[in-house]
Amino acid sequence: MLFGRFHNSPFWRSAGLAALLAGGLAVFAAPSFAQQAPAVPLPMPLTTPKPPSVPVIGAETPPPQGYEPVAPGTIPSANLPAAPVGVAAPAPQRQLIRPETESRPIVIELFTAQGCANCPAADAYLGQLARRKDVLPLSFHVDYWDYIGWKDPFADPVFVGRQRAYAMTLGQHMVYTPQIVVGGASDAQGANRAIIEQRIREAKARQRMYPIEVVRDPQTGQVLLELPEAKLPVPATIWLVTYQYKDQTAIDRGENSGRKSESFNTVRSLQKVAVWNGQRATLPLQLDAKAKAAKPEGCAIIANLADYGPVVAAVAFDFGDAW
């Protein structure tokens, strides 16, 4: 299934030439050592991103340094409705739910699969990143390698849609594993530690992040997200993510047959909860019933400009502390 395994064989050369002559396919460059997605029908089209259809507050204000507006169009989504953020009256003495990250962490999203032979090294690296407080690493498992013979139990087509939307936003024409997206603004091959650390440093220097807090109302017990005033070039979509800290799976089929897969901060659900136009606001957080029933260990809030643009706010917290 890997390009590097067969590209020197006569069969591969003749088959590749025939494919080029018959289909006139364009050749897209992929990061070295990355495993490209197979030529199967896309679960979602790669189309142009579109900001959420809510008014932009303070549109006359220039974007924060380092941002460019996302081009208009349409994007894949989790197909979940997002309610506009409402401004709430001040509520004193709310109880802060202790964050597990610094106030402005750089979000690291790994797109991986248990059926991908190149992914274990990236999975292990994400486990090291998970011990840091300056980043918020999350592992999204995709399902387009399931056809090889091993069905990834953590894969979800919604995660594939997120990866494809990022690819389109970043001007790419393909998806691959393992891929890491840093701060919603740049990507790298998932096991290339030097490049990823460089991307993290660049994100810290370039991206303007806003601090957000998750609190509890002591009277009602309701979990609330407190948003500051922010100068956003376009409204931001707020995502609620649940995940397990560590998962282990014995694989008995496919490219990783005989290996034990270890995954860290494995995403279990992705819920689109609101659109934030930059106003100071308090948003009630209501975890999807299915996600709550799974009893995940961690939760995170991610705010992407438009739906899949640069990340402008993020925080992680313990599921048990909130629910």
Side-chain angles (χ1 to χ4, degrees):
M1 309 306 166
L2 297 177
F3 177 80
R5 190 179 300 170
F6 302 112
H7 76 282
N8 288 324
S9 70
F11 171 79
W12 180 261
R13 289 196 296 271
S14 61
L17 179 59
L20 288 174
L21 292 175
L25 299 177
V27 179
F28 300 107
S32 59
F33 308 112
Q35 190 167 3
Q36 299 183 16
V40 297
L42 304 183
M44 296 185 182
L46 286 180
T47 50
T48 312
K50 168 178 142 182
S53 56
V54 296
V56 179
I57 305 301
E60 69 280 1
T61 304
Q65 184 178 3
Y67 288 130
E68 294 294 334
V70 180
T74 57
I75 48 177
S77 71
N79 295 321
L80 297 174
V85 173
V87 178
Q93 299 181 344
R94 287 174 175 159
Q95 301 168 345
L96 176 67
I97 296 176
R98 181 180 58 85
E100 296 188 332
T101 57
E102 295 179 356
S103 62
R104 298 174 177 86
I106 301 300
V107 177
I108 310 295
E109 298 178 62
L110 169 65
F111 294 94
T112 184
Q114 290 184 351
C116 160
N118 293 329
C119 288
D123 296 332
Y125 177 45
L126 195 86
Q128 295 181 11
L129 291 173
R131 295 196 289 265
R132 293 167 50 172
K133 299 296 184 182
D134 62 325
V135 296
L136 170 50
L138 296 168
S139 179
F140 290 86
H141 285 235
V142 297
D143 63 2
Y144 47 76
W145 290 115
D146 288 0
Y147 81 99
I148 294 177
W150 176 256
K151 183 176 175 60
D152 192 322
F154 308 126
D156 192 315
V158 170
F159 305 159
V160 180
R162 185 171 181 85
Q163 185 186 22
R164 293 191 184 281
Y166 269 138
M168 173 275 308
T169 303
L170 296 172
Q172 300 168 350
H173 301 281
M174 51 159 280
V175 294
Y176 62 93
T177 56
Q179 180 186 29
I180 276 183
V181 176
V182 179
S186 63
D187 81 309
Q189 196 273 345
N192 193 330
R193 302 187 181 205
I195 296 298
I196 294 167
E197 292 295 340
Q198 179 182 333
R199 296 281 190 268
I200 294 172
R201 291 192 295 270
E202 291 170 351
K204 289 180 177 181
R206 178 186 67 245
Q207 293 187 210
R208 183 173 182 178
M209 296 282 289
Y210 294 92
I212 57 178
E213 292 183 338
V214 178
V215 300
R216 184 191 305 281
D217 187 314
Q219 295 181 338
T220 66
Q222 191 173 35
V223 180
L224 306 169
L225 173 63
E226 294 192 338
L227 300 166
E229 183 176 353
K231 295 181 179 179
L232 303 179
V234 294
T237 297
I238 296 176
W239 304 91
L240 174 57
V241 183
T242 66
Y243 55 95
Q244 297 295 122
Y245 294 135
K246 185 177 180 179
D247 289 289
Q248 291 184 324
T249 305
I251 300 175
D252 58 15
R253 292 185 301 277
E255 290 191 343
N256 290 322
S257 179
R259 302 183 65 167
K260 179 177 287 187
S261 168
E262 289 191 337
S263 178
F264 301 87
N265 287 9
T266 311
V267 175
R268 296 299 171 84
S269 69
L270 177 65
Q271 184 179 341
K272 185 176 182 179
V273 296
V275 174
W276 177 32
N277 59 17
Q279 288 184 326
R280 182 181 299 275
T282 298
L283 168 69
L285 291 179
Q286 297 180 345
L287 189 63
D288 177 87
K290 182 179 179 181
K292 193 172 181 179
K295 297 182 179 180
E297 295 172 317
C299 298
I301 296 292
I302 303 174
N304 289 87
L305 286 181
D307 269 10
Y308 301 97
V311 175
V312 293
V315 68
F317 52 98
D318 187 86
F319 170 82
D321 290 348
W323 287 282

